[in-house]
Amino acid sequence: MVCAVDAGLPASGGSAFFALAVDETMTKDKVRVTDLAQMKAERTPIAMLTAYDFPFARIFDAAGVDVLLVGDSLGMVVQGADSTLAVTLDEVIYHTRMVARARQRALVVADLPFLTYQVSVEKALANSGRLIKEGGAEAVKLEGGITMAETIRRMVDIDIPVMGHIGLTRQSIHRMGGHRVQGRRSGKTAGCRERLLEDAVAVEHAGAFALVLEGIPAELAREITERASIPTIGIGAGVACDGQVLVMHDVLGLSESFSPRFAKPYAHLWREASAAATGYIREVRERAFPTPEHSNDTKRA
Ligand code: KIV
């Protein structure tokens, strides 16, 4: 969108259209796709978290997270499935809309689910467009390296910003034989070390603005990060990436028992939510809640 500042027009006193454009999309702090390259150049680590609904997106945005990812991990952590494969485009759009409504500062990136972009470039373009038009995403993420390069190029050609994702790509669970660390073996076949180096170059050359490195050895992630001019964002990929991403449930301790080794819980919300629910149930059974103060005819002090 043309903005008053870029167009050399007064930011105020012009038409309502230009005033709105400046207020809503060009606020000083807003993180844009182009800012991530700047952050890499300045060696400012990029903090990215997944989010799937309004309240958590609001909390993370207000806390200052740079990127909110509406990941297809929602299939596992929100829907309770054992893989991401069944997630649909409509479901990602539904969750992206909630996250986008909460966004003030963070860049909102939405995942293209399995088979919404691998089948044809045309499908990839149309489905990415839906994430942006209907969901309110500012960029999309897709999994794959060399084999996705042409698709990424065509998306970038029509100004759809693309975040790449290589390594332990969950949509390839059947090829990988489970959620397994990639890049340990040497070779040029999918998931091998040299192939991942080539995948990273292909994604960068195709025009992606950033690259998620998931589940690969730390020294391989370091090598990719040093060679790449675009920022790398790691998850289970060591300490050398330009940024980090975690699934919000792992950061907040929102899973019943499982916590991946690469993640760090900064809270234990499952425990707290469970204690809150137990307390509520007990008080209802004991008629300790509600008390007269909770009834509508009691005026609050
Ligand atoms: O779907 C997701 O949440 C992701 C992150 C794990 C990077 O792709």
Side-chain angles (χ1 to χ4, degrees):
M1 184 187 285
V2 178
C3 87
V5 176
D6 290 347
L9 297 167
S12 58
S15 72
F17 171 77
F18 282 121
L20 194 66
V22 170
D23 284 346
E24 287 200 345
T25 68
M26 304 306 281
T27 55
K28 196 163 145 280
D29 275 356
K30 176 78 186 79
V31 180
R32 290 169 224 119
V33 159
T34 46
D35 292 322
L36 300 197
Q38 181 76 18
M39 290 174 83
K40 176 172 176 115
E42 291 168 355
R43 296 183 182 279
T44 304
I46 298 160
M48 170 161 144
L49 270 177
T50 67
Y52 315 95
D53 63 18
F54 182 89
F56 282 114
R58 218 32 246 113
I59 290 167
F60 300 155
D61 186 282
V65 76
D66 301 307
V67 185
L68 286 168
L69 171 67
V70 186
D72 61 358
S73 51
L74 74 89
M76 300 172 78
V77 295
V78 177
Q79 297 173 340
D82 57 7
S83 82
T84 61
L85 296 181
V87 173
T88 67
L89 188 71
D90 284 337
E91 286 165 352
V92 178
I93 291 171
Y94 171 77
H95 286 276
T96 304
R97 219 180 276 138
M98 297 180 228
V99 170
R101 278 189 204 119
R103 159 201 48 210
Q104 288 183 3
R105 176 183 174 274
L107 181 76
V108 173
V109 179
D111 255 348
L112 280 162
F114 182 52
L115 290 195
T116 62
Y117 59 99
Q118 295 96 334
V119 175
S120 69
V121 170
E122 287 67 29
K123 269 202 156 192
L125 299 181
N127 290 334
S128 309
R130 287 193 62 201
L131 289 175
I132 292 170
K133 287 169 71 124
E134 297 173 40
E138 296 160 282
V140 303
K141 178 168 80 58
L142 58 77
E143 298 182 2
I146 295 172
T147 52
M148 282 300 130
E150 179 55 21
T151 303
I152 297 174
R153 192 167 294 116
R154 293 277 302 279
M155 291 162 71
V156 172
D157 274 352
I158 59 163
D159 295 337
I160 293 175
V162 179
M163 177 178 278
H165 184 169
I166 62 170
L168 193 172
T169 44
R170 284 159 201 272
Q171 292 173 22
S172 310
I173 182 171
H174 295 312
R175 191 247 309 148
M176 297 184 299
H179 293 132
R180 292 170 192 276
V181 171
Q182 302 292 290
R184 281 188 173 143
R185 278 184 298 124
S186 184
K188 294 269 185 130
T189 49
C192 291
R193 190 179 190 286
E194 288 71 24
R195 171 63 180 268
L196 285 166
L197 285 164
E198 291 182 1
D199 282 336
V201 172
V203 170
E204 175 180 351
H205 287 178
F209 70 93
L211 177 60
V212 171
L213 302 177
E214 179 168 0
I216 63 172
E219 53 77 31
L220 177 57
R222 181 184 294 280
E223 189 170 343
I224 292 173
T225 301
E226 282 170 4
R227 288 188 190 185
S229 64
I230 57 174
T232 61
I233 301 177
I235 170 164
V239 301
C241 294
D242 299 305
Q244 289 295 315
V245 57
L246 281 178
V247 169
M248 57 162 269
H249 292 65
D250 296 334
V251 170
L252 300 181
L254 256 176
S255 306
E256 192 164 10
S257 52
F258 178 72
S259 174
R261 195 152 52 104
F262 57 79
K264 177 173 171 186
Y266 289 80
H268 298 281
L269 295 196
W270 184 285
R271 241 167 27 208
E272 288 192 30
S274 171
T278 310
Y280 166 74
I281 294 162
R282 192 184 53 246
E283 291 204 352
V284 169
R285 298 243 199 279
E286 292 169 354
R287 297 198 178 279
F289 176 86
T291 61
E293 301 100 77
H294 300 109
S295 59
N296 282 326
D297 40 29
T298 307
K299 283 215 164 66
R300 284 188 191 246

